[in-house]
Amino acid sequence: MAGSEVTRTTLTSRPSSDGFWMPPEWAPQEAVWMLWPYRPDNWREAARPAQEAYAAVAEAIMGATPVIMGVPAEFMAQAERRLPAGINLVSMASDDAWIRDSGPSIVVDTHGERRGVSWIFNAYGGLKGGLYSPWDRDAQVSSLVCDHHHFARYAAPLVMEGGSIHSDGEGTLLVTEEVLLNPDRNPALTKQQIGDFLEDYLNIDKIIWLPSGVFADETSGHVDNICCFSRPAEVILTWTEDATDPQAARSQAALAVLECEVDAKGRSFKVHKVQQPGPLTISNEEAVTTMSGPGMNRRAGTRLAGSYVNFLITNGRLILPMLDRATDEQALSMMRDIFPKHEVIGVPAREILLGGGNIHCITQQVPAGAFLSSTHGGDGH
């Protein structure tokens, strides 16, 4: 990083007052960021299988959008050997490889200017409930990404991760109470205060508060693993018909909210239910090749928070995690029906899931500067 060559601008105003808002993920994108996985207490076999999975995801993205990979300097040679040619490798320190959560949320205005919103990152719960410590390098990822693009930056006074929000680009935001009201993040703030900050820093008008996320999600229930927008007033929801599965009550509670709510423009929601994979658990072989750590449970038999909702949309292409032979084809078919103008590509992603997340979690899009709209959106389909 050429941090010494860049004048970092941290703004004291807020996006809502400056005319900036968070666009939808189907808006045109300039690039997609990823971070190189390496830590042995999260990734098995010293992260080699995860690195292969990350490389496959990056290759799938590259067919539609340039990929930028942040790589710690000591792993640069390794990344150069294992990644496909054409990826822009940037020297960048990190504690783990979840740039959706540690990276900035990019906001835009009608003139095509882009700025970054940096959330306070505490590794999903700090010293009490977090997954790892220290996290100081991850806490700097957002500002380093903004520096790379010469984006001015807003420093939001909210402990949060990018995977805990999903925008329709027209003023509506999806979140879960399980994450945003978690006492390990913002114990001194009320629900109203948290909502006010989200409205100010993302310039949204309506927040849909789903009760919880996917069962056994170690992020405390990020919304990007249970429910996301496919276009304005239309969402995809993780689902199971098995009433004995602990996910069933969570999905039903989310559906109950969505059926009673309207979006910022007063529209009722159309809900697509996508069958969850599995249930999936960590195998004995996968467990024994992962180093033990204080915050992450990688023991054999542990439930994995698998979900097909955790996909990436990028410039007419949808990258979908392949997780279970019994349900993968059904998920592919469903996504192709929902996104008829997109090329839907399935990428084997169990190795990413073993680390606690999936394709949406390991990517962060940079909207194209040419994206202009005074109405916050357009469905892009």
Side-chain angles (χ1 to χ4, degrees):
M1 286 298 300
S4 62
E5 301 171 9
V6 177
T7 301
R8 182 178 302 172
T9 303
T10 302
L11 302 163
T12 57
S13 56
R14 299 186 179 186
S16 59
S17 60
D18 295 342
F20 285 77
W21 75 93
M22 185 178 183
E25 294 183 14
W26 51 80
Q29 297 173 14
E30 175 183 299
V32 171
W33 274 85
M34 302 176 68
L35 295 174
W36 188 242
Y38 66 88
R39 59 183 302 147
D41 63 341
N42 191 38
W43 307 105
R44 72 188 187 107
E45 298 179 24
R48 176 99 188 219
Q51 291 165 359
E52 292 174 356
Y54 272 56
V57 170
E59 188 168 21
I61 296 169
M62 286 172 62
T65 309
V67 175
I68 306 171
M69 184 77 71
V71 184
E74 63 269 32
F75 294 104
M76 186 62 74
Q78 180 189 76
E80 289 173 344
R81 291 194 306 270
R82 297 181 182 175
L83 286 169
I87 294 176
N88 182 6
L89 303 184
V90 175
S91 181
M92 181 180 292
S94 64
D95 296 298
D96 207 350
W98 308 104
I99 197 164
R100 176 69 54 181
D101 299 331
S102 59
S105 299
I106 308 300
V107 292
V108 301
D109 73 356
T110 55
H111 305 291
E113 184 179 347
R114 294 159 293 173
R115 296 175 179 177
V117 177
S118 295
W119 313 103
I120 301 170
F121 184 80
N122 75 346
Y124 313 96
L127 294 176
K128 181 181 178 183
L131 298 180
Y132 53 86
S133 177
W135 57 83
D136 55 302
R137 290 176 294 187
D138 275 353
Q140 293 300 312
V141 165
S142 181
S143 59
L144 292 174
V145 169
C146 290
D147 284 353
H148 180 87
H149 293 282
H150 300 265
F151 292 161
R153 186 175 69 95
Y154 300 96
L158 197 61
V159 178
M160 201 185 77
E161 306 87 36
S164 62
I165 54 175
H166 209 272
S167 170
D168 72 345
E170 295 191 359
T172 308
L173 195 73
L174 285 171
V175 303
T176 66
E177 294 179 345
E178 188 176 20
V179 169
L180 290 180
L181 304 186
N182 188 302
D184 293 334
R185 287 180 172 84
N186 298 286
L189 298 180
T190 66
K191 181 178 180 179
Q192 180 65 51
Q193 289 170 325
I194 291 170
D196 289 345
F197 279 132
L198 291 173
E199 291 175 7
D200 281 349
Y201 283 91
L202 298 173
N203 199 359
I204 48 98
D205 304 307
K206 179 74 177 282
I207 301 173
I208 306 298
W209 293 86
L210 304 181
S212 55
V214 167
F215 176 71
D217 188 336
E218 61 189 23
T219 68
S220 305
H222 275 180
V223 76
D224 72 348
N225 212 31
I226 189 170
C227 190
C228 69
F229 287 107
S230 52
R231 54 176 60 83
E234 191 170 307
V235 299
I236 306 173
L237 176 66
T238 295
W239 192 258
T240 177
E241 295 290 350
D242 181 1
T244 66
D245 190 293
Q247 181 56 40
R250 290 167 168 259
S251 294
Q252 290 164 3
L255 179 63
V257 171
L258 292 164
E259 287 179 335
C260 293
E261 282 279 12
V262 295
D263 70 5
K265 295 187 178 297
R267 299 169 294 203
S268 297
F269 289 102
K270 180 178 181 180
V271 181
H272 301 279
K273 302 172 185 174
V274 59
Q275 172 64 37
Q276 70 174 1
L280 307 174
T281 59
I282 299 176
S283 70
N284 289 325
E285 178 187 4
E286 291 162 344
V288 299
T289 55
T290 306
M291 290 181 59
S292 62
M296 291 178 268
N297 181 3
R298 302 293 180 260
R299 293 188 296 272
T302 300
R303 173 82 172 247
L304 295 167
S307 167
Y308 293 111
V309 170
N310 208 304
F311 59 79
L312 175 73
I313 303 171
T314 181
N315 290 337
R317 182 171 286 194
L318 189 151
I319 317 299
L320 185 70
M322 296 286 92
L323 298 167
D324 183 351
R325 290 181 180 178
T327 49
D328 284 348
E329 288 302 319
Q330 178 185 351
L332 280 166
S333 177
M334 181 176 180
M335 295 306 169
R336 286 167 178 152
D337 288 342
I338 296 171
F339 296 91
K341 296 182 181 180
H342 283 64
E343 180 183 15
V344 179
I345 298 176
V347 177
R350 181 177 174 88
E351 294 296 339
I352 305 170
L353 179 59
L354 287 169
N358 227 289
I359 290 174
H360 192 259
C361 306
I362 68 171
T363 55
Q364 180 61 272
Q365 71 278 356
V366 177
F371 174 60
L372 305 177
S373 172
S374 59
T375 59
H376 292 200
D379 68 10
H381 299 274

Short mmCIF file of all heavy atoms in Angstrom, two decimals, residues 94-124:
data_model
loop_
_atom_site.label_atom_id
_atom_site.label_comp_id
_atom_site.label_asym_id
_atom_site.label_seq_id
_atom_site.Cartn_x
_atom_site.Cartn_y
_atom_site.Cartn_z
N SER A 94 -3.71 -8.06 7.30
CA SER A 94 -5.04 -8.36 7.81
C SER A 94 -4.93 -9.46 8.85
O SER A 94 -3.95 -10.19 8.91
CB SER A 94 -5.98 -8.80 6.67
OG SER A 94 -5.54 -10.01 6.10
N ASP A 95 -5.96 -9.57 9.68
CA ASP A 95 -6.00 -10.64 10.68
C ASP A 95 -6.74 -11.86 10.17
O ASP A 95 -6.44 -12.98 10.57
CB ASP A 95 -6.67 -10.13 11.96
CG ASP A 95 -5.87 -9.01 12.62
OD1 ASP A 95 -4.71 -9.27 13.00
OD2 ASP A 95 -6.37 -7.88 12.72
N ASP A 96 -7.72 -11.67 9.31
CA ASP A 96 -8.40 -12.77 8.65
C ASP A 96 -8.93 -12.27 7.32
O ASP A 96 -8.60 -11.15 6.91
CB ASP A 96 -9.50 -13.37 9.52
CG ASP A 96 -9.75 -14.85 9.20
OD1 ASP A 96 -9.22 -15.35 8.20
OD2 ASP A 96 -10.50 -15.50 9.95
N ALA A 97 -9.75 -13.06 6.64
CA ALA A 97 -10.01 -12.82 5.23
C ALA A 97 -11.47 -12.54 4.91
O ALA A 97 -12.00 -13.00 3.90
CB ALA A 97 -9.52 -14.02 4.41
N TRP A 98 -12.14 -11.76 5.75
CA TRP A 98 -13.56 -11.47 5.57
C TRP A 98 -13.75 -9.99 5.24
O TRP A 98 -14.19 -9.19 6.06
CB TRP A 98 -14.34 -11.84 6.83
CG TRP A 98 -14.07 -13.23 7.29
CD1 TRP A 98 -13.28 -13.60 8.34
CD2 TRP A 98 -14.55 -14.45 6.72
NE1 TRP A 98 -13.25 -14.97 8.46
CE2 TRP A 98 -14.03 -15.51 7.47
CE3 TRP A 98 -15.40 -14.74 5.63
CZ2 TRP A 98 -14.31 -16.85 7.18
CZ3 TRP A 98 -15.67 -16.06 5.35
CH2 TRP A 98 -15.15 -17.10 6.11
N ILE A 99 -13.45 -9.61 4.02
CA ILE A 99 -13.44 -8.18 3.68
C ILE A 99 -14.85 -7.59 3.61
O ILE A 99 -15.02 -6.37 3.73
CB ILE A 99 -12.68 -7.93 2.37
CG1 ILE A 99 -12.32 -6.43 2.26
CG2 ILE A 99 -13.46 -8.43 1.16
CD1 ILE A 99 -11.28 -6.11 1.24
N ARG A 100 -15.88 -8.41 3.46
CA ARG A 100 -17.24 -7.87 3.56
C ARG A 100 -17.45 -7.20 4.91
O ARG A 100 -18.16 -6.21 5.01
CB ARG A 100 -18.26 -9.00 3.38
CG ARG A 100 -19.71 -8.60 3.57
CD ARG A 100 -20.22 -7.70 2.47
NE ARG A 100 -20.00 -8.28 1.15
CZ ARG A 100 -20.34 -7.70 0.02
NH1 ARG A 100 -20.91 -6.49 0.02
NH2 ARG A 100 -20.09 -8.27 -1.14
N ASP A 101 -16.80 -7.75 5.92
CA ASP A 101 -17.01 -7.28 7.29
C ASP A 101 -16.01 -6.23 7.74
O ASP A 101 -16.35 -5.30 8.44
CB ASP A 101 -16.98 -8.47 8.25
CG ASP A 101 -18.08 -9.47 7.94
OD1 ASP A 101 -19.13 -9.04 7.42
OD2 ASP A 101 -17.89 -10.67 8.19
N SER A 102 -14.76 -6.37 7.33
CA SER A 102 -13.74 -5.41 7.74
C SER A 102 -13.58 -4.27 6.75
O SER A 102 -13.05 -3.21 7.09
CB SER A 102 -12.39 -6.11 7.93
OG SER A 102 -11.97 -6.74 6.72
N GLY A 103 -14.01 -4.47 5.51
CA GLY A 103 -13.85 -3.45 4.49
C GLY A 103 -14.91 -2.36 4.55
O GLY A 103 -15.86 -2.44 5.34
N PRO A 104 -14.79 -1.33 3.72
CA PRO A 104 -15.75 -0.22 3.75
C PRO A 104 -17.02 -0.54 2.97
O PRO A 104 -17.02 -1.33 2.03
CB PRO A 104 -14.98 0.90 3.05
CG PRO A 104 -14.11 0.18 2.05
CD PRO A 104 -13.72 -1.11 2.72
N SER A 105 -18.11 0.08 3.38
CA SER A 105 -19.32 0.12 2.57
C SER A 105 -19.24 1.37 1.72
O SER A 105 -19.10 2.48 2.25
CB SER A 105 -20.57 0.16 3.46
OG SER A 105 -20.65 -0.99 4.29
N ILE A 106 -19.27 1.20 0.40
CA ILE A 106 -19.08 2.34 -0.50
C ILE A 106 -20.42 2.99 -0.81
O ILE A 106 -21.39 2.33 -1.18
CB ILE A 106 -18.41 1.91 -1.81
CG1 ILE A 106 -17.12 1.12 -1.51
CG2 ILE A 106 -18.10 3.12 -2.68
CD1 ILE A 106 -16.08 1.90 -0.74
N VAL A 107 -20.47 4.30 -0.64
CA VAL A 107 -21.67 5.07 -0.96
C VAL A 107 -21.38 5.95 -2.17
O VAL A 107 -20.23 6.28 -2.47
CB VAL A 107 -22.14 5.91 0.25
CG1 VAL A 107 -22.64 5.00 1.36
CG2 VAL A 107 -21.01 6.81 0.77
N VAL A 108 -22.43 6.34 -2.89
CA VAL A 108 -22.30 7.08 -4.14
C VAL A 108 -23.23 8.29 -4.13
O VAL A 108 -24.16 8.37 -3.32
CB VAL A 108 -22.64 6.18 -5.35
CG1 VAL A 108 -21.73 4.97 -5.41
CG2 VAL A 108 -24.11 5.73 -5.30
N ASP A 109 -22.99 9.21 -5.07
CA ASP A 109 -23.94 10.31 -5.26
C ASP A 109 -24.30 10.40 -6.74
O ASP A 109 -23.81 9.62 -7.56
CB ASP A 109 -23.40 11.64 -4.71
CG ASP A 109 -22.29 12.25 -5.56
OD1 ASP A 109 -21.86 11.63 -6.57
OD2 ASP A 109 -21.84 13.37 -5.23
N THR A 110 -25.17 11.32 -7.09
CA THR A 110 -25.67 11.41 -8.45
C THR A 110 -24.62 11.92 -9.44
O THR A 110 -24.84 11.85 -10.65
CB THR A 110 -26.90 12.34 -8.52
OG1 THR A 110 -26.57 13.61 -7.97
CG2 THR A 110 -28.06 11.75 -7.75
N HIS A 111 -23.51 12.41 -8.95
CA HIS A 111 -22.43 12.88 -9.82
C HIS A 111 -21.40 11.79 -10.09
O HIS A 111 -20.43 12.02 -10.82
CB HIS A 111 -21.74 14.11 -9.21
CG HIS A 111 -22.68 15.23 -8.89
ND1 HIS A 111 -23.31 15.97 -9.87
CD2 HIS A 111 -23.11 15.73 -7.70
CE1 HIS A 111 -24.09 16.88 -9.30
NE2 HIS A 111 -23.98 16.76 -7.99
N GLY A 112 -21.58 10.62 -9.50
CA GLY A 112 -20.64 9.53 -9.70
C GLY A 112 -19.50 9.51 -8.72
O GLY A 112 -18.60 8.66 -8.83
N GLU A 113 -19.50 10.42 -7.75
CA GLU A 113 -18.45 10.37 -6.73
C GLU A 113 -18.73 9.22 -5.77
O GLU A 113 -19.89 8.91 -5.47
CB GLU A 113 -18.38 11.68 -5.95
CG GLU A 113 -17.23 11.71 -4.94
CD GLU A 113 -17.13 13.01 -4.16
OE1 GLU A 113 -17.79 14.00 -4.56
OE2 GLU A 113 -16.39 13.03 -3.15
N ARG A 114 -17.66 8.61 -5.28
CA ARG A 114 -17.79 7.52 -4.31
C ARG A 114 -17.00 7.84 -3.05
O ARG A 114 -15.93 8.44 -3.11
CB ARG A 114 -17.27 6.21 -4.93
CG ARG A 114 -18.13 5.72 -6.09
CD ARG A 114 -17.36 4.77 -6.97
NE ARG A 114 -16.28 5.43 -7.68
CZ ARG A 114 -15.36 4.79 -8.42
NH1 ARG A 114 -15.40 3.48 -8.51
NH2 ARG A 114 -14.42 5.46 -9.03
N ARG A 115 -17.54 7.43 -1.93
CA ARG A 115 -16.88 7.59 -0.65
C ARG A 115 -17.06 6.29 0.15
O ARG A 115 -17.99 5.53 -0.10
CB ARG A 115 -17.46 8.78 0.13
CG ARG A 115 -17.22 10.12 -0.56
CD ARG A 115 -17.90 11.27 0.18
NE ARG A 115 -17.65 12.56 -0.48
CZ ARG A 115 -18.16 13.71 -0.09
NH1 ARG A 115 -18.98 13.76 0.97
NH2 ARG A 115 -17.88 14.82 -0.74
N GLY A 116 -16.17 6.07 1.11
CA GLY A 116 -16.26 4.88 1.93
C GLY A 116 -16.85 5.18 3.29
O GLY A 116 -16.64 6.25 3.85
N VAL A 117 -17.61 4.21 3.81
CA VAL A 117 -18.08 4.26 5.20
C VAL A 117 -17.35 3.17 5.96
O VAL A 117 -17.46 1.98 5.64
CB VAL A 117 -19.60 4.05 5.30
CG1 VAL A 117 -20.03 4.04 6.77
CG2 VAL A 117 -20.35 5.13 4.53
N SER A 118 -16.57 3.56 6.97
CA SER A 118 -15.85 2.60 7.81
C SER A 118 -16.62 2.38 9.10
O SER A 118 -16.92 3.34 9.83
CB SER A 118 -14.45 3.12 8.13
OG SER A 118 -13.65 3.20 6.96
N TRP A 119 -16.95 1.13 9.38
CA TRP A 119 -17.57 0.76 10.64
C TRP A 119 -16.47 0.39 11.64
O TRP A 119 -15.36 0.07 11.24
CB TRP A 119 -18.52 -0.42 10.45
CG TRP A 119 -19.43 -0.26 9.27
CD1 TRP A 119 -19.33 -0.87 8.05
CD2 TRP A 119 -20.57 0.60 9.19
NE1 TRP A 119 -20.33 -0.46 7.21
CE2 TRP A 119 -21.12 0.45 7.88
CE3 TRP A 119 -21.21 1.47 10.08
CZ2 TRP A 119 -22.25 1.14 7.46
CZ3 TRP A 119 -22.33 2.16 9.66
CH2 TRP A 119 -22.85 2.00 8.36
N ILE A 120 -16.77 0.43 12.90
CA ILE A 120 -15.80 -0.01 13.91
C ILE A 120 -15.83 -1.54 13.94
O ILE A 120 -16.88 -2.15 14.12
CB ILE A 120 -16.15 0.56 15.30
CG1 ILE A 120 -16.15 2.09 15.26
CG2 ILE A 120 -15.17 0.05 16.35
CD1 ILE A 120 -16.73 2.73 16.53
N PHE A 121 -14.68 -2.14 13.73
CA PHE A 121 -14.59 -3.60 13.67
C PHE A 121 -13.98 -4.14 14.96
O PHE A 121 -12.91 -3.68 15.38
CB PHE A 121 -13.74 -4.03 12.47
CG PHE A 121 -13.68 -5.52 12.27
CD1 PHE A 121 -14.71 -6.19 11.65
CD2 PHE A 121 -12.58 -6.23 12.72
CE1 PHE A 121 -14.66 -7.57 11.46
CE2 PHE A 121 -12.52 -7.61 12.55
CZ PHE A 121 -13.56 -8.28 11.92
N ASN A 122 -14.65 -5.14 15.58
CA ASN A 122 -14.11 -5.73 16.81
C ASN A 122 -14.13 -7.26 16.79
O ASN A 122 -14.27 -7.91 17.83
CB ASN A 122 -14.82 -5.19 18.05
CG ASN A 122 -16.21 -5.78 18.24
OD1 ASN A 122 -16.78 -6.41 17.34
ND2 ASN A 122 -16.79 -5.57 19.42
N ALA A 123 -13.97 -7.83 15.57
CA ALA A 123 -13.88 -9.28 15.39
C ALA A 123 -15.11 -10.00 15.89
O ALA A 123 -15.03 -11.06 16.50
CB ALA A 123 -12.61 -9.84 16.04
N TYR A 124 -16.28 -9.39 15.67
CA TYR A 124 -17.58 -10.01 15.94
C TYR A 124 -17.90 -10.13 17.43
O TYR A 124 -18.61 -11.05 17.84
CB TYR A 124 -17.68 -11.38 15.27
CG TYR A 124 -17.24 -11.38 13.83
CD1 TYR A 124 -15.95 -11.75 13.48
CD2 TYR A 124 -18.10 -10.97 12.81
CE1 TYR A 124 -15.52 -11.72 12.17
CE2 TYR A 124 -17.68 -10.93 11.49
CZ TYR A 124 -16.39 -11.30 11.17
OH TYR A 124 -15.95 -11.25 9.87
#
